[in-house]
């Protein structure tokens, strides 16, 4: 089927289409005569709008007067009838099926080795709704949807500049998924765009069903704990990234956009930071930094100090911990891992189960498991408190939740094995990995490492909007 040209005989062409599609019931073939020439209009059921295809395609075409040849008929339709704003030409069966499966109607005529396609999409899709994972107070309450064209329009509505470029291409030999590369041509480094296109050109996958299918191709191939390409489901956030000189990739069917490059400090920034006073935004930002450290290190510090460094505690606190831990039948390391594993199972159950069952999960985890574990002496109250504080800190930085979850377990094992020395060794290894992470020449930890004083006004603190506007920041300043 691939790259095979259309057959000039209409009967042979329809027979080939039925053979390739296996007689699929949703492939609709409507034969008719217009202008004295036998034609067929092909589409997929459920992918087109019945009212649009009737009013804009069938009625104008069936009313054409007699033509001398199929070429004259197609020329008349192309040049004198405005049936659709999106009218690609079809020259092979691969293109024909890709367009039909994307909501196009394809017109074939006896004696023609090409066809005309008309965009009459009418498939069901979810409307624009508030983002579920990136809440805000002062910003817009619109999020991306699964329809790539709607997502493109949301960006164009906010950035009306002609410098905004959107390039659509298809990936996936079986899924034929539409991807869209977005960037501001006057802001983004051309080298970055060329490298992204080269990386995507090397993709050889059967299907692209989510952003996870393309991220390995646009990220550095070496082992990285943190993602050098980010995601967002907010149009306003993506527009701010594009203005800073980044590139974004939409995947049809996914309500997220992949942003390239991503920086570590961005995980602690939200759009609300720029709606409040700088002093309050700076306070919230530092609160998130502390919450991240507590989420990763607090349980491991508790384990290391109780097991190896009790001299760091005053006598009163030490006696309280001894009294609480002496009733627990498990070692502190085993106890800590057990509590964290129990929390992860409860959270996964809450995410995967149907929403009506969410209340039951909360009751079981909070009243039965948690209360029973403490009262039975299986888990000590101080350890449960430290774990709860660490989990709460991780919820403050949801973008880094996968990394926080894994690092929390690793630091507990390191602290339980070698104490504070083990935590220090693992922290050095994590820092080395983070500092070595980069994507297309953009260090992940900049402006902290390598240090860029120009970027600290929106990293260590949140400067006044006027100052940031006067500086005219773009990520090209961070390129190494």
């Amino acid at each position: 089927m691939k790259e095979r040209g259309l057959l000039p005989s209409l009967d042979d062409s329809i027979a080939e289409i039925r053979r390739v599609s296996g007689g699929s019931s949703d492939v609709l073939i409507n034969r008719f005569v217009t202008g004295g020439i036998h034609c067929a209009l092909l589409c997929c059921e459920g992918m087109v709008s019945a009212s649009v295809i009737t009013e804009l395609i069938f009625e104008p075409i069936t009313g054409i007067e007699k033509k001398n040849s199929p070429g004259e008929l197609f020329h008349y339709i192309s040049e004198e009838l405005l049936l659709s704003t999106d009218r690609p030409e079809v020259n092979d069966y691969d293109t024909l099926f890709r367009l039909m499966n994307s909501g196009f109607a394809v017109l074939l005529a006896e004696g023609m080795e090409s066809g005309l396609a008309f965009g009459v999409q009418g498939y069901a899709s979810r409307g624009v709704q508030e983002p579920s994972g990136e809440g805000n107070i002062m910003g817009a309450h619109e999020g991306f949807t699964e329809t790539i064209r709607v997502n493109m329009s949301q960006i164009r509505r906010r950035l009306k500049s002609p410098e905004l470029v959107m390039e659509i291409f298809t990936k996936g030999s079986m899924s034929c998924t539409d991807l869209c590369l977005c960037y501001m041509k006057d802001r983004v480094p051309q080298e970055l765009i060329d490298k992204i296109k080269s990386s995507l050109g090397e993709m050889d996958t059967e299907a692209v069903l989510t952003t996870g299918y393309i991220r390995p191709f646009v990220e550095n191939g070496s082992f990285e704990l943190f993602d050098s390409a980010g995601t967002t489901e907010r149009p306003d956030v993506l527009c701010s990234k594009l203005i800073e000189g980044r590139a974004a990739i939409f995947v049809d069917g996914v309500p997220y956009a992949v942003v390239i490059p991503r920086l570590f400090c961005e995980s602690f920034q939200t759009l609300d930071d720029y709606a409040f006073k700088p002093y309050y935004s700076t306070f919230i930002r530092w609160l998130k930094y502390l919450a991240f450290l507590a989420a990763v290190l607090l349980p491991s510090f508790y384990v290391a100090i109780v097991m190896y460094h009790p001299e760091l505690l005053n006598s009163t606190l030490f006696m309280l911990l001894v009294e609480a831990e002496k009733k627990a039948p498990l070692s502190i390391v085993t106890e800590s891992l057990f509590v964290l594993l129990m929390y992860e199972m409860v959270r996964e159950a809450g995410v995967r189960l149907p929403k009506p069952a969410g209340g039951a999960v909360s009751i079981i985890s909070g009243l039965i498991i948690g209360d029973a574990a403490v009262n039975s002496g299986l888990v000590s109250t101080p350890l449960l408190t430290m774990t709860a504080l660490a989990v709460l800190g991780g919820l403050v930085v949801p973008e880094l939740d996968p990394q926080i979850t894994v690092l929390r377990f690793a630091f507990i094992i390191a602290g339980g094995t070698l104490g504070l020395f083990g935590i220090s060794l693992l922290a050095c290894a994590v820092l080395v990995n983070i500092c070595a992470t980069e994507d297309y020449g953009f260090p992940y930890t900049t402006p902290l490492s390598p240090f860029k004083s120009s970027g600290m006004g929106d990293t260590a603190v949140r400067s006044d909007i006027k100052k940031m506007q006067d500086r005219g920041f773009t990520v090209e300043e961070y390129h190494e």
Side-chain angles (χ1 to χ4, degrees), residues 371-388:
D371 187 64
V374 173
N375 292 335
S376 64
L378 189 63
V379 177
S380 66
T381 303
L383 178 61
L384 196 62
T385 303
M386 293 296 172
T387 303

Side-chain angles (χ1 to χ4, degrees), residues 428-471:
C428 290
V430 172
L431 285 175
V432 169
N433 184 272
I434 296 177
C435 293
T437 300
E438 68 170 30
D439 207 7
Y440 301 113
F442 293 89
Y444 180 62
T445 53
T446 189
L448 298 174
S449 175
F451 182 77
K452 301 285 185 179
S453 59
S454 59
M456 298 306 293
D458 197 25
T459 303
V461 296
R462 205 279 278 169
S463 301
D464 186 78
I465 295 294
K466 294 180 179 178
K467 295 181 180 179
M468 290 192 289
Q469 288 285 358
D470 294 338
R471 187 167 61 87

Side-chain angles (χ1 to χ4, degrees), residues 20 37 90 148 166 181 191 206 208 232 241 281 375 451:
V20 173
I37 298 171
V90 180
I148 190 171
M166 298 185 181
L181 177 63
E191 181 184 359
E206 291 186 341
V208 180
T232 181
K241 305 300 182 187
S281 299
N375 292 335
F451 182 77

Side-chain angles (χ1 to χ4, degrees), residues 64-379:
I64 297 176
E65 298 179 356
K66 186 173 179 62
K67 300 297 180 182
N68 295 324
S69 65
E72 183 181 353
L73 174 66
F74 270 30
H75 181 270
Y76 175 79
I77 294 174
S78 300
E79 301 296 331
E80 300 190 30
L81 294 181
L82 185 60
L83 303 180
S84 172
T85 56
D86 194 0
R87 297 184 295 174
E89 186 173 336
V90 180
N91 295 306
D92 55 77
Y93 290 104
D94 183 51
T95 305
L96 183 145
F97 277 97
R98 179 174 59 83
L99 291 175
M100 285 176 54
N101 294 330
S102 299
F104 284 76
V106 180
L107 177 65
L108 302 180
E110 180 70 38
M112 291 296 295
E113 296 183 359
S114 63
L116 298 178
F118 309 99
V120 288
Q121 290 88 345
Y123 41 80
S125 61
R126 182 172 62 94
V128 177
Q129 298 176 355
E130 183 174 358
S132 59
E134 297 181 55
N136 76 100
I137 300 174
M138 305 293 289
H141 293 267
E142 291 182 339
F144 291 128
T145 70
E146 286 76 10
T147 308
I148 190 171
R149 305 283 178 172
V150 175
N151 296 339
M152 293 166 60
S153 67
Q154 292 193 71
I155 299 300
R156 180 65 70 179
R157 182 160 57 89
R158 289 170 170 81
L159 293 178
K160 300 180 176 64
S161 170
E163 302 297 333
L164 176 62
V165 178
M166 298 185 181
E167 301 181 17
I168 291 184
F169 47 94
T170 304
K171 287 295 177 182
S173 59
M174 301 297 292
S175 65
C176 295
T177 305
D178 287 334
L179 306 183
C180 179
L181 177 63
C182 304
Y183 58 92
M184 300 284 288
K185 63 181 180 181
D186 63 331
R187 300 294 182 91
V188 68
Q190 185 58 42
E191 181 184 359
L192 174 61
I193 298 300
D194 294 339
K195 289 182 178 179
I196 292 175
K197 290 181 179 180
S198 176
S199 299
L200 294 176
E202 297 175 358
M203 287 182 59
D204 186 18
T205 59
E206 291 186 341
V208 180
L209 304 178
T210 183
T211 55
Y213 284 68
I214 65 172
R215 291 179 68 169
F217 294 92
V218 298
E219 291 181 336
N220 194 335
S222 58
F223 175 73
E224 297 175 346
L225 289 174
F226 292 81
D227 299 319
S228 55
T231 58
T232 181
E233 57 179 331
R234 296 186 58 88
D236 43 13
V237 171
L238 181 58
C239 287
S240 68
K241 305 300 182 187
L242 296 178
I243 292 174
E244 292 176 356
R246 306 173 202 264
I249 301 175
F250 287 115
V251 179
D252 192 24
V254 180
Y256 290 88
V258 179
V259 182
I260 307 169
R262 181 194 186 189
L263 305 179
F264 178 71
C265 60
E266 292 176 334
S267 300
F268 306 91
Q269 301 173 355
T270 64
L271 199 66
D272 279 336
D273 291 349
Y274 307 95
F276 299 115
K277 290 290 186 180
Y279 64 85
Y280 180 73
S281 299
T282 301
F283 167 74
I284 294 298
R285 192 163 293 180
W286 276 98
L287 183 66
K288 292 179 180 179
Y289 292 145
L290 294 176
F292 170 74
L293 294 177
V296 175
L297 298 175
L298 193 57
S300 61
F301 269 111
Y302 176 81
V303 170
I305 290 175
V306 171
M307 291 184 64
Y308 297 99
H309 311 281
E311 66 277 3
L312 297 178
L313 304 174
N314 61 55
S315 57
T316 304
L317 182 58
F318 177 72
M319 293 306 299
L320 289 174
L321 295 182
V322 169
E323 184 67 22
E325 292 292 346
K326 71 179 182 180
K327 297 180 181 179
L330 304 174
S331 66
I332 296 180
V333 176
T334 305
E335 190 180 349
S336 302
L337 295 176
F338 168 73
V339 172
L340 286 176
L341 286 173
M342 182 174 62
Y343 161 72
E344 293 299 331
M345 287 188 290
V346 170
R347 184 180 64 169
E348 190 68 14
V351 171
R352 307 302 171 190
L353 281 176
K355 290 184 178 180
V361 173
S362 301
I363 294 174
I364 294 173
S365 60
L367 297 180
I368 300 177
I369 299 179
D371 187 64
V374 173
N375 292 335
S376 64
L378 189 63
V379 177

